[in-house]
């Protein structure tokens, strides 16, 4: 690798701007900002993180994390069926997530406990389908390595042809949230009041479920089907610990999600020089998301304690 | 279909179904389907880690499922339980992805852990499963009254703190997970813990009858799935998922038919 020579050069001629870059190189392994794969991953990952976080704030407010998780796992069936049929994985993720959200909406009962069961039944059946499609995929032989890719993602390997699709679908999900913002917020926080005011709670709920299916599918594309909930729920839950105002929480969640994704990309790039070279991006992103949630929780707890002592 | 190595598969699948159907009754009562999904699914990372370190899979699964259960219990004390469950789950899965990347050849066993490979159960794997089944059923019998009371009437816990009951319940799920995942995979146990009890609850309101019915349905599903998987060579997880969903659908149809009559 050219790294070694690069490093010795930065160490021997430390003057002015070189000093800055040598400090930078201690944190960022060389090549991070010049790689086109990183550039694409940063753009894709960034867009997906923002979309997932914005949609996720309502997932947390509505208590639908389980539905999000289920849609992601069913997306695994979609991703693997896409390989079987020979279409882009993003269409598989989106297609089956949308289908699953429609089934959930159809059999979903309005009570929270009934919803829990309906989600569980759909998830069980969907996971069964994933097992079947992944198995048929392995029989195919040509798809070595697709199982880890579908389940855990590989953001550096996404082709640039996906960018317009991701931008389009992400824009659609955000647009749904923006258009429905007020009625959705009311229907999420107090469904009875919303119904009394003539808000079509069920229709809004269904529209939101579809937006969530799209966000989860996009998230599955970057960090993997079974980890996709991390970007949906984590940043949003952390943001809602820090502020109770929904629009502020959405902005904060988007910032947290973006930071976790980009930092995860950076660490994964650096990890090429660690033992077991090349750690997965998804693991870093998930660990960072959990950390930001725990920190937000801690901050919230300290603030509460300060308030009670005063 | 009933000879040689298949005998182990039949025995293990029956034990797993009995535990799944019985523990699942409380999962459905408590509306804890997400937890039932998260603990087995997350514990898969434990199996990946154990394979990396070269220790027993059962140990890795045990550590991760108990750790996951405690994590969910502690995180869920404040704030939303579903968020706590999601965070614990994705963190464990993220670790699993990391362990998996350290060991490339592990990808195939990841598939069997997630989706099950009951047809490949060896006799040495049989005895720990039998032992854990007994422990699990004993724990269930001991916890029966407080757990039932806390699940039906969360307010009257008769001197038990709700947090302790929740943790005891989560540990029960963790125990059931540890014994079942290495032999049948995470998908299968989740489907067995949700479909049959949900179907049973749609058919009867009596707890004793419901738990018995749930166990019977679970055993029937796992036997049917083994037979179908043996004949088609398709993964057993698919058949368990499909049969569980069908059982629930049929039970719901029967329920609405009974209400009309």
């Amino acid at each position: 690798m050219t790294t070694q020579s690069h490093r010795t050069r930065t160490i021997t001629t430390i003057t002015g701007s070189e000093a800055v870059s040598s400090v930078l190189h201690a944190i960022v392994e060389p090549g991070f900002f010049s790689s086109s794969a990183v550039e694409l991953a940063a753009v894709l990952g960034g867009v997906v993180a923002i979309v997932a976080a914005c949609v996720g704030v309502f997932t947390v407010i509505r208590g639908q994390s389980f539905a999000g998780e289920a849609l992601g796992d069913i997306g695994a069936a979609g991703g693997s069926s896409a390989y079987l049929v020979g279409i882009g994985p993003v269409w598989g993720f989106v297609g089956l997530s949308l289908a699953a959200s429609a089934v959930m909406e159809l059999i979903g009962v309005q009570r929270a406990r009934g919803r829990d069961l309906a989600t569980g039944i759909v998830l069980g059946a969907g996971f069964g389908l994933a097992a079947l499609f992944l198995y048929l995929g392995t029989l195919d032989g040509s798809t070595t390595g697709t199982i880890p890719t579908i389940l855990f993602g590989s953001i550096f390997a996404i082709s640039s042809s996906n960018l317009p699709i991701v931008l389009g679908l992400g824009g659609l999900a955000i647009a749904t949230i923006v258009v429905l913002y007020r009625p959705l917020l009311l229907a999420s926080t107090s469904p009875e009041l919303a119904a009394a005011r003539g808000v079509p709670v069920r229709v809004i709920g269904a529209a939101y479920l579809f937006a969530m299916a799209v966000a989860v599918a996009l998230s599955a594309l970057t960090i993997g089907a079974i980890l996709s909930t991390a970007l949906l729920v984590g940043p949003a839950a952390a943001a809602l610990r820090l502020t109770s105002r929904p629009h502020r929480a959405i902005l904060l969640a988007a910032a947290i999600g973006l930071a976790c994704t980009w930092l995860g990309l950076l660490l994964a790039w650096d990890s090429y020089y660690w033992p077991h070279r090349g750690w997965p991006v998804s693991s870093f992103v998930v660990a960072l998301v959990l950390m930001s949630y725990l920190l937000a929780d801690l901050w919230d707890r300290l603030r509460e304690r300060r308030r009670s002592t005063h | 279909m009933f000879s040689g190595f298949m005998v182990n598969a039949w025995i293990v699948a029956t034990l797993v179904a009995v535990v799944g159907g019985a523990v699942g009754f409380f999962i459905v009562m408590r509306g804890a389907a997400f937890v039932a999904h998260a603990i087995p699914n997350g514990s898969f990372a434990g199996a990946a880690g154990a394979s990396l370190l070269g220790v027993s899979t059962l140990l890795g699964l045990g550590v991760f499922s108990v750790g996951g259960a405690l994590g969910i219990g502690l995180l869920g004390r404040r704030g939303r339980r579903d968020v706590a469950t999601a965070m614990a789950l994705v963190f464990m899965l993220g670790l699993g992805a990391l362990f998996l990347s350290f060991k490339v050849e592990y990808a195939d066993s990841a598939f069997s852990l997630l989706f099950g490979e009951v047809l490949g159960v060896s006799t040495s794997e049989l005895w720990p499963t039998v032992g854990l089944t007994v422990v699990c059923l004993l724990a269930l019998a001991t916890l029966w009254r407080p757990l039932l009371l806390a699940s039906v009437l969360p307010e009257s816990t008769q001197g038990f703190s709700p947090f302790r009951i929740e943790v005891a319940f989560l540990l029960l799920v963790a125990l059931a997970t540890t014994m079942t995942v290495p032999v049948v995979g995470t998908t299968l146990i989740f489907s067995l813990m949700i479909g049959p009890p949900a179907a049973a609850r749609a058919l009867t309101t009596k707890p004793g009858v419901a738990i018995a019915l749930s166990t019977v349905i679970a055993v029937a599903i796992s036997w049917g799935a083994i037979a179908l998987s043996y004949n088609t060579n398709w993964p057993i997880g698919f058949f368990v998922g499909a049969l569980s969903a069908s059982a629930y659908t049929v039970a719901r149809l029967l329920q609405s038919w009974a209400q009309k009559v």
Side-chain angles (χ1 to χ4, degrees):
Chain A
M1 291 299 295
T2 55
T3 346
Q4 208 51 48
S5 62
H6 200 99
R7 262 190 179 161
T8 39
R9 192 172 57 83
T10 45
I11 291 165
T12 45
T13 60
I14 293 181
T15 48
S17 63
E18 286 281 317
V20 178
S21 83
S22 77
V23 170
L24 249 176
H25 281 176
I27 313 166
V28 185
E29 289 294 342
F32 182 72
F33 292 109
S34 55
S35 160
S36 64
V38 170
E39 203 180 342
L40 180 66
V43 172
L44 271 174
V47 170
V48 168
I50 291 172
V51 172
C54 293
V55 174
V57 168
F58 287 99
T59 309
V60 175
I61 295 177
R62 296 167 70 85
Q64 285 188 327
S65 307
F66 187 33
E69 164 69 24
L71 290 174
D73 283 348
I74 294 161
S80 42
S81 67
Y83 276 100
L84 280 178
V85 187
I87 53 172
V90 66
W91 294 118
F93 284 134
V94 173
L96 256 172
S97 289
L98 281 177
S101 63
V103 175
M104 277 181 204
E105 173 54 35
L106 281 177
I107 66 171
V109 198
Q110 293 308 312
R111 288 178 310 133
R113 187 162 291 187
R115 199 169 64 192
D116 184 67
L117 267 187
T119 312
I121 301 283
V122 175
L123 172 58
F127 230 177
L129 267 185
L132 181 63
F133 290 154
L134 285 173
Y135 167 75
L136 293 177
T138 54
L139 284 188
D140 207 25
S142 60
T143 49
T144 320
T146 47
I147 294 179
T149 303
I150 292 166
L151 296 179
F152 303 111
S154 61
I155 193 171
F156 286 126
I158 304 172
S159 91
S160 60
S161 63
N162 283 314
L163 193 56
I165 307 170
V166 169
L167 285 176
L169 289 172
L172 198 68
I174 299 261
T176 310
I177 300 295
V178 170
V179 170
L180 295 180
Y181 186 75
R182 291 216 147 267
L184 177 61
L185 195 58
L186 191 60
S188 306
T189 45
S190 56
E192 290 84 9
L193 185 62
R197 286 206 187 162
V199 174
V201 177
R202 178 109 197 233
V203 177
I204 299 265
Y208 176 69
L209 202 58
F210 286 127
M212 189 161 80
V214 170
V216 167
L218 293 180
S219 179
L221 185 71
T222 58
I223 64 166
I226 62 175
L227 295 176
S228 53
T229 335
L231 281 179
L232 185 76
V233 172
L240 283 167
R241 275 294 155 80
L242 300 175
T243 172
S244 52
R245 288 183 199 162
H247 62 275
R248 206 176 278 180
I250 288 177
L251 292 177
L252 199 57
I256 294 173
L258 193 64
C260 290
T261 304
W262 282 356
L263 204 56
L265 279 173
L266 176 65
L267 286 170
W269 182 265
D270 286 358
S271 76
Y272 195 72
Y273 301 90
W274 299 357
H276 295 291
R277 52 178 37 203
W279 296 24
V281 183
S282 316
S283 301
F284 286 115
V285 174
V286 167
L288 289 166
V289 164
L290 179 74
M291 229 185 294
S292 56
Y293 175 70
L294 292 178
L295 282 176
D297 187 50
L298 188 69
W299 195 78
D300 187 37
R301 222 179 279 195
L302 290 177
R303 185 174 54 179
E304 231 166 57
R305 186 172 299 171
R306 218 172 29 226
R307 223 175 260 164
S308 61
T309 49
H310 276 300
Chain B
M1 200 159 94
F2 298 100
S3 61
F5 69 98
M6 284 302 292
V7 173
N8 290 344
W10 288 103
I11 297 172
V12 161
T14 310
L15 294 174
V16 165
V18 167
V19 169
V23 174
F25 171 72
F26 284 105
I27 289 166
V28 170
M29 289 282 283
R30 297 175 72 84
F34 196 8
V35 168
H37 166 69
I39 293 178
N41 226 353
S43 73
F44 135 87
S51 140
L52 197 66
L53 294 173
V55 297
S56 136
T57 310
L58 215 55
L59 184 68
L61 283 169
V63 168
F64 265 73
S65 55
V66 169
L70 293 176
I72 292 170
L74 288 173
L75 275 177
R77 251 184 134 165
R78 278 168 44 90
R80 291 180 170 279
R81 192 173 73 168
D82 66 329
V83 169
T85 312
M87 296 314 295
L89 167 64
V90 292
F91 179 64
M92 289 196 284
L93 286 174
L95 275 181
L98 183 65
F99 296 151
L100 207 65
S101 79
F102 289 170
K103 216 175 166 180
V104 178
E105 68 270 33
Y106 190 69
D108 286 338
S109 23
F111 180 79
S112 70
L113 273 175
L114 284 174
F115 302 113
E117 211 156 36
V118 72
L119 304 185
V121 180
S122 68
T123 311
S124 63
E125 282 170 313
L126 197 59
W127 288 112
T129 313
V130 174
L132 285 171
T133 306
V134 174
V135 174
C136 218
L137 292 179
L138 282 177
L140 197 63
T142 318
L143 289 170
W144 172 257
R145 281 200 69 81
L147 203 53
L148 191 62
L149 206 59
S151 305
V152 182
L153 299 164
E155 296 81 22
S156 74
T157 44
Q158 281 194 339
F160 294 101
S161 86
F163 176 65
R164 278 171 64 184
I165 290 192
E166 171 75 7
V167 168
F169 164 72
L170 290 172
L171 288 175
L172 191 64
V173 177
L175 189 63
T177 296
T178 309
M179 67 159 278
T180 53
V181 167
V183 279
V184 296
T186 63
T187 331
L188 194 149
I189 188 58
F190 171 70
S191 298
L192 279 181
M193 288 199 291
I194 301 299
R201 286 258 297 162
L203 295 175
T204 175
T205 49
K206 289 179 191 135
V209 180
I211 200 166
L213 192 59
S214 158
T215 311
V216 170
I217 297 174
V219 170
I221 287 176
S222 71
W223 284 356
I226 286 196
L228 287 167
S229 174
Y230 183 81
N231 285 314
T232 57
N233 216 16
W234 286 8
I236 190 165
F238 168 68
F239 291 112
V240 172
L243 289 176
S244 291
S246 315
Y248 177 67
T249 313
V250 170
R252 283 290 294 271
L253 289 176
L254 281 176
Q255 184 192 23
S256 59
W257 177 73
Q259 274 166 359
K260 264 181 214 150
V261 171

